Amino acid sequence: MTMDLFAGIAVSDLSRAAAWFERLLGDVESFDPNDVERVWTVTEHGHLYAVVAPEDAGHGRVTLFLDDLDGFLSAAADRGVEPQSQETYDNGVRKVVFRDPDGNEIGVGGGPD
């Protein structure tokens, strides 16, 4: 059975959120299924989407786990997006946290160096 995952983040302004997520995610496939959502395909069966829902904006949490965290961080920095915080767990797994314009937490993790 194939399953696709759509992880949603509530935002107050779709244009502002789309611009920020595009700087964070870089050149990934995206589409607009309707007037209040933007979807980014971040892996073959995994999608992150922003949806206009001002009453819920700023309360979301999503974590992406990558095989090249350093490469992602470098590319994001080149596009003007820097993490709010970084930590390394006892097992060597690293996590950085970005905050979108509404304050939603976008965590990005990677395995030990």
Side-chain angles (χ1 to χ4, degrees):
M1 168 177 61
T2 299
M3 183 181 300
D4 280 19
L5 173 67
F6 286 80
I9 294 290
V11 300
S12 61
D13 181 299
L14 188 57
S15 295
R16 181 179 67 166
W20 186 86
F21 276 98
E22 287 166 6
R23 284 194 315 276
L24 176 68
L25 299 173
D27 187 26
V28 299
E29 181 181 332
S30 65
F31 62 95
D32 299 310
N34 54 55
D35 292 343
V36 297
E37 294 177 301
R38 167 73 56 88
V39 179
W40 296 271
T41 301
V42 295
T43 190
E44 184 177 0
H45 296 283
H47 313 274
L48 178 63
Y49 71 95
V51 59
V52 176
E55 64 281 358
D56 295 324
H59 301 285
R61 289 185 180 182
V62 171
T63 300
L64 308 171
F65 201 84
L66 309 173
D67 61 359
D68 183 8
L69 180 58
D70 291 325
F72 178 88
L73 292 174
S74 177
D78 288 347
R79 293 186 297 270
V81 183
E82 296 286 341
Q84 180 185 41
S85 64
Q86 300 184 40
E87 62 183 310
T88 301
Y89 300 112
D90 291 340
N91 63 0
V93 169
R94 298 176 297 148
K95 180 181 179 185
V96 297
V97 172
F98 295 88
R99 296 268 178 201
D100 76 359
D102 284 304
N104 293 302
E105 178 182 300
I106 311 302
V108 183
D113 286 332

